[in-house]
């Protein structure tokens, strides 16, 4: 006796009755909600988002901003709704401020065309129960991929339900160019981030979000039903020997990619004549590609150059060599790249490299820790900025940091 398999309302194939327990266990592990119906000899598969209610809407609080691009904003939201609905979620597109009490998640979105900026910025505003590490990592990666600066801010909110507020600002371009270069990518990126919000604890459950036909490499096709859930390996045994050699191993494209980001804390020491400002932070280099990255070179660019001093656990070139000879061993860590490092710093650039050869393996993060940045002559109404760039000469790869240190010192009224 065979059982019919239905995905949603579509028939996907059949399985033998005696395989039902193993089939149920397998697809539960893959994230499906499995509903056997022995009376009607069928088993129903529902995605991991089945029954989840997600509300997406424009951000009502900034609805009447001069730079708001309402028609493009609506188009992005409609695409997000289409993507999420295809994954099995119940998606409601609203145009109002009121929070939906029965929603599992609420996404607010706003889009601005800002004349004074040169590159897009995505700011993610959320409360403590809205995000997880996977969601933040996804947004960070997707922004890096699209050349967009990423900012994340956690706020204390009285909202009862989890929410995120996404604000995107981009330079002046035509509507057609925006959609072709950025709009569709943002809709996909936001959708991927939302999916990560629901699936961090069970990574395999994301397999339930895509059509069953995607698994054609796991199962073989049947002439009658479209998909036969008999394991491929069993049928392969019946193939003539010469055809077995036609089965090729999957190949994956090689990628040389990394993401760079800063974290820092600000310390202000008050004096009668002026305040002393100091920042302590770290620069992180994460290999998000498939290839080993070798010997990173870091450039910290600061403005205004005469007001900023950068120091930390960084050795001058001659000191690094001397320590290695004295200890009769390899000295690890970081050093200034050039003998003229002090003069370069005064001009606004600090070049840093590893003391010894340094490899960063895929999924590994290497950090330049305990960076100390002193503002020597803080002036009122001045903008202090430190940007970071990382170069891998051997791989011909250059990455700018996804965020930067920026301080605006305003005059007291």
């Amino acid at each position: 006796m065979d059982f019919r398999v239905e995905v949603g309302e579509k028939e996907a194939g059949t399985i033998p009755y005696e395989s039902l327990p193993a089939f149920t266990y397998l697809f539960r592990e893959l994230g499906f909600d499995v509903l056997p119906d022995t009376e009607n000899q069928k088993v129903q598969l529902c995605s991991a988002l089945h029954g989840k209610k997600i509300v997406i809407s424009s951000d009502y609080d900034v609805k009447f901003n001069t730079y708001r691009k309402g028609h493009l904003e609506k188009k992005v939201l409609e695409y997000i709704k289409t993507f999420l609905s295809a994954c099995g979620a119940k998606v409601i597109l609203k145009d109002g401020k009121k929070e939906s009490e029965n929603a599992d998640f609420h996404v607010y979105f706003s889009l601005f065309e800002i004349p004074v900026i040169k590159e897009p910025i995505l700011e993610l505003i959320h409360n403590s129960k809205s995000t997880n590490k996977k969601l933040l990592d996804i947004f960070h990666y997707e922004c890096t991929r699209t050349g967009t600066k990423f900012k994340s801010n956690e706020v204390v909110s009285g909202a009862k339900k989890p929410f995120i507020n996404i604000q995107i600002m981009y330079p002046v371009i035509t509507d057609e160019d925006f959609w072709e270069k950025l709009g569709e990518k943002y809709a996909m990126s936001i959708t991927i981030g939302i999916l990560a919000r629901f699936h961090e604890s069970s990574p395999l459950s994301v397999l339930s979000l895509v059509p069953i036909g995607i698994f054609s490499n796991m199962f073989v096709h049947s002439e009658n039903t479209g998909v036969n859930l008999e394991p491929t390996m069993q049928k392969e045994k019946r193939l003539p020997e010469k055809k077995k050699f036609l089965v090729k191993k999957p190949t994956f494209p090689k990628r040389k990619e990394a993401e760079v980001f800063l974290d820092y804390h600000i310390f202000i020491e008050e004096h009668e004549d002026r305040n002393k400002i100091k920042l302590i932070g770290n620069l992180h280099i994460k290999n998000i590609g498939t290839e080993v990255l070798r010997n990173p070179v870091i450039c910290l660019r600061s403005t205004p150059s005469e007001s900023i001093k950068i120091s930390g656990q960084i050795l001058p070139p001659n000191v690094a060599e001397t320590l290695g000879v004295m200890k009769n061993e390899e000295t690890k860590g970081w050093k200034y790249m050039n003998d003229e490092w002090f003069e370069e710093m005064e001009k606004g650039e600090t070049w840093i490299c590893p003391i010894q050869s340094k490899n960063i393996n895929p999924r590994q993060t290497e950090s330049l820790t305990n960076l100390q940045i002193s503002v020597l002559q803080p002036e009122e109404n001045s903008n202090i900025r430190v940007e970071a760039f990382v170069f891998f000469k051997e791989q011909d790869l250059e990455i700018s940091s996804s965020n930067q240190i920026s301080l605006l010192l305003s005059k007291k009224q």
Side-chain angles (χ1 to χ4, degrees), residues 15 20 65 68 92 112 115 138 159 271 284 303-304 325 334 340:
I15 59 168
L20 185 57
N65 188 290
R68 190 77 173 265
I92 301 173
F112 305 92
I138 288 290
H271 295 274
H284 305 286
T303 53
V325 173
W334 301 86
E340 302 80 15

Side-chain angles (χ1 to χ4, degrees), residues 47-302:
S47 81
L49 276 187
H50 179 74
K52 297 291 184 182
K53 185 177 179 182
I54 301 174
V55 175
I56 58 176
S57 65
S58 297
D59 185 1
Y60 185 87
D61 290 334
V62 291
K63 189 171 183 179
F64 302 105
N65 188 290
T66 305
Y67 301 114
R68 190 77 173 265
K69 302 293 286 186
H71 62 291
L72 291 177
E73 189 175 286
K74 184 177 180 181
K75 189 174 182 179
V76 173
L77 286 170
E78 288 173 346
Y79 268 68
I80 294 173
K81 179 182 179 181
T82 300
F83 292 146
L84 288 174
S85 298
C87 296
K90 182 180 180 182
V91 186
I92 301 173
L93 179 57
K94 295 183 64 177
D95 185 18
K97 186 176 182 180
K98 186 178 180 181
E99 180 184 357
S100 178
E101 296 181 358
N102 298 321
D104 295 285
F105 200 54
H106 199 136
V107 180
Y108 298 94
F109 179 67
S110 52
L111 188 65
F112 305 92
E113 185 183 68
I114 309 297
V116 296
I117 64 174
K118 296 182 179 179
E119 55 186 329
I121 302 170
L122 186 150
E123 184 171 5
L124 177 67
I125 303 168
H126 59 91
N127 59 8
S128 58
K129 57 186 176 182
S130 302
T131 61
N132 51 34
K133 184 178 184 300
K134 188 67 175 177
L135 180 146
L136 294 176
D137 286 346
I138 288 290
F139 269 96
H140 197 171
Y141 171 78
E142 291 293 324
C143 284
T144 302
R145 188 176 64 87
T146 56
T148 303
K149 290 187 177 181
F150 175 62
K151 297 181 179 180
S152 174
N153 294 306
E154 183 176 322
V155 297
V156 178
S157 172
K160 297 179 182 179
K161 295 291 182 179
F163 79 95
I164 55 175
N165 189 325
I166 301 166
Q167 296 183 358
I168 295 178
M169 294 161 279
Y170 65 94
V172 175
I173 55 176
T174 64
D175 290 354
E176 292 76 11
D177 284 344
F178 168 82
W179 188 252
E180 181 179 344
K181 297 177 180 178
L182 296 173
E184 188 175 10
K185 293 183 177 68
Y186 285 146
M188 291 186 180
S189 299
I190 293 169
T191 303
I192 294 170
I194 295 170
L195 297 180
R197 161 67 174 73
F198 286 94
H199 295 281
E200 182 187 43
S201 58
S202 303
L204 286 179
S205 65
V206 298
L207 294 174
S208 72
L209 303 178
V210 295
I212 194 71
I214 297 296
F215 301 127
S216 58
N217 62 327
M218 298 169 56
F219 306 109
V220 294
H221 290 271
S222 166
E223 294 180 359
N224 298 325
T225 60
V227 177
N228 186 345
L229 298 174
E230 180 182 354
T232 304
M233 292 302 295
Q234 292 183 10
K235 288 209 169 185
E236 184 185 334
K237 291 178 182 178
R238 300 198 296 268
L239 293 174
E241 287 294 323
K242 62 179 182 180
K243 289 190 176 182
K244 288 187 179 182
F245 293 100
L246 299 178
V247 180
K248 295 182 179 180
K249 293 182 178 180
T251 58
F252 300 96
K254 295 181 179 180
R255 293 182 293 109
K256 299 173 185 175
E257 263 185 286
E259 59 181 25
V260 179
F261 54 97
L262 293 151
D263 68 71
Y264 59 93
H265 299 278
I266 304 173
F267 300 90
I268 301 176
E269 185 178 344
E270 295 186 358
H271 295 274
E272 292 184 1
D273 52 343
R274 63 183 177 87
N275 294 333
K276 184 178 180 181
I277 302 175
K278 190 171 186 178
L279 297 92
I280 307 293
N282 308 293
L283 175 70
H284 305 286
I285 308 168
K286 183 178 180 181
N287 187 343
I288 58 174
T290 60
E291 300 293 294
V292 176
L293 301 178
R294 297 180 175 85
N295 301 322
V297 173
I298 300 169
C299 176
L300 299 175
R301 183 181 298 164
S302 54

Side-chain angles (χ1 to χ4, degrees), residues 26-33 46-49 204-206 208:
L26 168 64
F27 278 85
R28 279 178 181 168
E29 288 295 298
L30 294 178
F32 287 88
D33 188 9
C46 298
S47 81
L49 276 187
L204 286 179
S205 65
V206 298
S208 72

Side-chain angles (χ1 to χ4, degrees), residues 386-403:
V386 178
E387 302 171 279
F389 305 88
V390 177
F391 303 86
F392 294 93
K393 186 177 180 181
E394 295 180 33
Q395 283 88 10
D396 192 26
L397 184 63
E398 174 184 341
I399 308 105
S400 59
S401 175
S402 58
N403 63 338

Side-chain angles (χ1 to χ4, degrees), residues 344-401:
E344 290 176 343
M345 187 185 300
E346 289 182 329
K347 295 178 181 179
E349 290 189 352
T350 303
W351 291 86
I352 303 165
C353 65
I355 296 175
Q356 296 294 335
S357 180
K358 188 182 294 292
N359 293 338
I360 308 178
N361 296 318
R363 298 184 298 277
Q364 178 185 348
T365 299
E366 190 68 44
S367 300
L368 171 58
T369 59
N370 196 31
L371 272 173
Q372 301 179 26
I373 303 172
S374 301
V375 182
L376 302 177
Q377 299 174 346
E379 298 180 358
E380 295 174 338
N381 298 324
S382 63
N383 187 8
I384 307 296
R385 188 169 72 251
V386 178
E387 302 171 279
F389 305 88
V390 177
F391 303 86
F392 294 93
K393 186 177 180 181
E394 295 180 33
Q395 283 88 10
D396 192 26
L397 184 63
E398 174 184 341
I399 308 105
S400 59
S401 175

